[in-house]
């Protein structure tokens, strides 16, 4: 393996400022699975909530598959005007109390996963990161009219004891974030994440309720005070728009009503409503297939 440290460059002055602070590192990468745009919307929200200074910039050109995720380029009359660019960065932000934290954001690496993880593990070690945290959304048969359930996972299983009885054991395609968390566990590093259970019929849209749910969990477990900002207002508006759209379809309303009954019964008799691994896998595959169609 080529030296992982060659994959990035850092700001030496900011690096020295972060020494000894033992920050929390959040990684919210735009990756393979993120129902409800949960992680992506949370990343945008955090970067808008406070100034973020770039600490580390990765050589994303070495990690990106341009044929898999092509830049959008604009043609105007008789010339190419502009094109989107990709950036994978580790930045420093502050919470509502002025506490600094790290945020890894941008597209997940398409290639050299082992080398990229080695680079990240080196940064975690050198900065003495005390906790690595992620969040995303998972498509599940739940209604939008009930509180969003959150499934937690951690390299320290004693931390996660209150998961809803909806997911037991299932094989799914790995995201870079999940692959990295697994690797952190082998190095005895504390890592955890939260997957909001997003209504499968809203998996492709932004579901603000799931963003609030994972943000509250992150604050609870990390001790950070990441601000909610206008997210509660966005939740109200989002739910109103969803209800307005669905009220015109009796078939959809019937589906939601059935999901509500299952959700409510699950709170009292969870063992009767635990989906099988095959059912969860099928839901996951449907989500991926829909996403690929949207990208095409």
């Amino acid at each position: 393996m080529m030296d992982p440290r060659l994959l990035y460059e850092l700001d030496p002055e900011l690096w020295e400022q972060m020494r000894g602070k033992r920050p929390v590192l959040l990684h919210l990468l735009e990756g393979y699975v993120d129902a409800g745009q949960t992680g992506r919307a949370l990343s945008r929200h955090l970067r808008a909530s406070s100034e973020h200074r770039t600490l580390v910039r990765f050589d994303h050109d070495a990690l990106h598959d341009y044929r898999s995720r092509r830049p959008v380029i604009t043609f105007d009359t008789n010339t190419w005007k502009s094109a989107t660019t990709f950036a994978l960065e580790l930045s420093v932000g502050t919470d509502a109390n002025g506490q600094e934290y790290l945020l890894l954001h941008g597209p997940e690496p398409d290639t050299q996963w082992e080398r990229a993880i080695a680079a990240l593990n080196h940064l975690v070690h050198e900065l003495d990161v005390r906790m690595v945290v992620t969040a995303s959304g998972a498509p599940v048969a739940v209604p939008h009219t009930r509180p969003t359930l959150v499934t937690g996972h951690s390299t320290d299983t004693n931390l996660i004891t209150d998961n809803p009885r909806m997911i037991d054991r299932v094989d799914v395609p790995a995201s870079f974030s999940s692959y990295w968390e697994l690797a952190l566990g082998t190095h005895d590093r504390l890592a955890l994440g939260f997957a909001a259970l997003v209504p499968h019929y809203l998996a492709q849209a932004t579901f603000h309720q799931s963003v609030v749910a994972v943000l509250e969990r992150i604050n609870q477990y990390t001790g950070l005070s990441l601000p909610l900002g206008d997210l509660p207002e966005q939740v109200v508006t989002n739910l109103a728009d969803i209800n307005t759209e669905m009220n015109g379809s009796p078939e959809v309303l019937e589906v939601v009503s059935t999901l509500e009954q299952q959700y409510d019964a699950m709170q009292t008799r969870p063992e009767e409503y635990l989906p099988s691994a095959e059912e969860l896998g099928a839901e996951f595959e449907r989500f991926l297939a829909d996403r690929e169609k949207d990208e095409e």
Side-chain angles (χ1 to χ4, degrees):
M1 179 190 298
M2 294 177 62
D3 188 344
R5 292 171 296 181
L6 297 177
L7 273 178
Y8 61 82
E9 57 184 20
L10 54 84
D11 181 329
E13 182 177 347
L14 184 54
W15 180 270
E16 289 302 318
Q17 293 176 20
M18 292 303 297
R19 285 193 179 276
K21 294 188 176 181
R22 305 198 67 236
V24 171
L25 190 157
L26 307 179
H27 53 114
L28 301 171
L29 301 178
E30 300 171 16
Y32 199 42
V33 175
D34 187 25
Q37 303 288 312
T38 304
R40 180 178 295 185
L42 178 56
S43 176
R44 289 197 300 264
H45 170 73
L46 293 177
R47 283 179 284 146
S49 298
S50 73
E51 178 187 0
H52 276 253
R53 297 168 292 167
T54 300
L55 175 63
V56 176
R57 179 174 288 106
F58 285 83
D59 180 7
H60 194 60
D61 198 49
L63 301 173
H64 191 84
D65 180 356
Y66 285 87
R67 290 189 298 177
S68 174
R69 284 182 287 186
R70 295 177 183 271
V72 175
I73 189 167
T74 301
F75 180 80
D76 186 359
T77 310
N78 58 3
T79 187
W80 296 107
K81 284 287 189 180
S82 62
T84 57
T85 57
F86 301 104
L88 179 61
E89 297 181 348
L90 183 65
S91 61
V92 179
T94 56
D95 71 359
N97 295 327
Q99 183 176 352
E100 292 176 313
Y101 66 93
L102 303 174
L103 176 63
L104 179 66
H105 56 92
E108 71 170 9
D110 293 313
T111 64
Q112 302 189 58
W113 277 21
E114 297 289 352
R115 187 175 176 220
I117 285 174
L120 285 167
N121 286 346
H122 177 74
L123 293 170
V124 165
H125 174 75
E126 291 297 311
L127 290 167
D128 196 17
V129 170
R130 63 183 174 87
M131 187 184 304
V132 180
V133 186
T134 189
S136 61
V140 180
V142 292
H144 70 281
T145 53
R146 297 293 188 267
T148 297
L149 300 173
V150 177
T151 290
H153 43 86
S154 176
T155 55
D156 180 357
T157 55
N158 293 321
L159 285 179
I160 308 296
T161 59
D162 59 347
N163 275 347
R165 290 285 294 169
M166 290 203 67
I167 299 177
D168 190 358
R169 180 186 178 96
V170 61
D171 295 327
V172 296
S175 66
F176 180 83
S177 291
S178 62
Y179 201 72
W180 183 26
E181 184 174 313
L182 180 64
L184 286 165
T186 65
H187 290 82
D188 296 322
R189 285 283 178 180
L190 179 57
L192 63 155
F194 303 101
L197 307 188
V198 176
H200 61 286
Y201 51 87
L202 298 175
Q204 301 299 322
T206 300
F207 188 52
H208 294 92
Q209 187 168 290
S210 66
V211 181
V212 171
V214 295
L215 178 54
E216 291 176 341
R217 285 296 188 95
I218 290 172
N219 282 339
Q220 175 188 348
Y221 278 81
T222 64
L224 292 172
S225 296
L226 302 173
L228 287 173
D230 62 353
L231 283 176
E233 290 78 11
Q234 292 185 47
V235 169
V236 173
T237 302
N238 189 207
L239 290 176
D241 291 342
I242 294 169
N243 288 331
T244 298
E245 184 173 346
M246 291 189 171
N247 283 337
S249 174
E251 295 82 2
V252 173
L253 291 175
E254 183 178 352
V255 170
V256 173
S257 177
T258 299
L259 293 176
E260 289 173 338
Q261 295 172 35
Q262 292 179 353
Y263 182 104
D264 294 340
M266 183 186 64
Q267 305 308 305
T268 56
R269 305 189 304 277
E271 68 282 352
E272 297 181 17
Y273 292 92
L274 183 65
S276 67
E278 290 75 15
E279 291 171 331
L280 288 169
E283 196 66 61
F284 207 85
E285 293 297 334
R286 279 194 293 272
F287 169 74
L288 296 178
D290 291 341
R291 173 172 175 164
E292 289 175 357
K293 290 177 182 178
D294 288 347
E295 288 177 348
E296 290 174 359

